[in-house]
Amino acid sequence: MINLLNNCEPSIKIDGLSHWFGKGSMRRQVLDSISMQINPGEVVLLTGPSGCGKTTLLTLIGALRKVEEGSLFVFGSQLRGSRRKTRQKLRRQIGMIFQGHNLLRCLTAEQNVQMGSDLIKGISYCDRRDQAREWLLAVGLEDQMSKLPHDLSGGQKQRVAIARALASRPKLLLADEPTAALDSVTGREIVDLLKRLALEQSCSVLMVTHDPRILDVADRLLKMEDGRLLLPIG
């Protein structure tokens, strides 16, 4: 399937991407000349030691940071020098799963997930609510829908965050350690769900992970070290 998708425009195309944190004597390079591309429907896992720049790369691709040097195209739009409205429009097509969960404490699990489906234009409130419930069912939380985040375990919060990201029907999914708080069985169910999303909806998936149990879901494995992207694994 990937060979066919390679004829399409890549979801992500990066050339010479570099990034720094800090100013003056405290300025530190965190990404060094990253070049890569990811095609529609492709699942790519990114590995590497903590602090090597993996999460920074995800936030740049997700239009959460400004591109400083190099080119970064997402769905054909150049993010370097892009306008705020361009980045906002792109973010509506991107599902993001980060380790902090970022759930709204005053909303139930169902309401948090519905925030994702609310990004879909042209469907009714009832349909958005039903989709939120379907995604919670898909991640095994059908009996936790009415609970607030403080009543959920860390693994349950992670699954709510995953359901919220999927509820927006993203064309690109960026996931930072999505299985870190999950047991082996639930983690496998989640990555299989992400793989199915990629195949059925031509959604590109870029997943940062240290979990060796899920490497088999990848179409490609990439490794970062000291801000650089190393040769493909395998």
Side-chain angles (χ1 to χ4, degrees), residues 78-101:
Q78 170 68 278
L79 286 182
R80 186 178 183 183
S82 61
R83 296 182 176 182
R84 183 179 179 181
K85 285 187 176 181
T86 298
R87 297 193 297 273
Q88 289 176 333
K89 184 178 179 181
L90 282 175
R91 283 197 293 267
R92 296 180 69 92
Q93 303 176 71
I94 301 173
M96 300 183 190
I97 305 167
F98 292 110
Q99 293 184 60
H101 312 309

Side-chain angles (χ1 to χ4, degrees), residues 95-104 109 112-113 116 135-136 139 141 149 152-168 173-176 178 182 190 194:
M96 300 183 190
I97 305 167
F98 292 110
Q99 293 184 60
H101 312 309
N102 297 325
L103 302 179
L104 289 183
N112 266 286
V113 175
W135 282 115
L136 282 169
V139 299
L141 292 178
L152 300 172
S153 68
Q156 289 171 334
K157 291 177 185 176
Q158 182 73 331
R159 283 186 277 168
V160 173
I162 290 168
R164 180 182 58 189
L166 300 180
S168 65
L173 183 68
L174 304 174
D176 193 356
L182 306 178
I190 292 299
L194 301 185

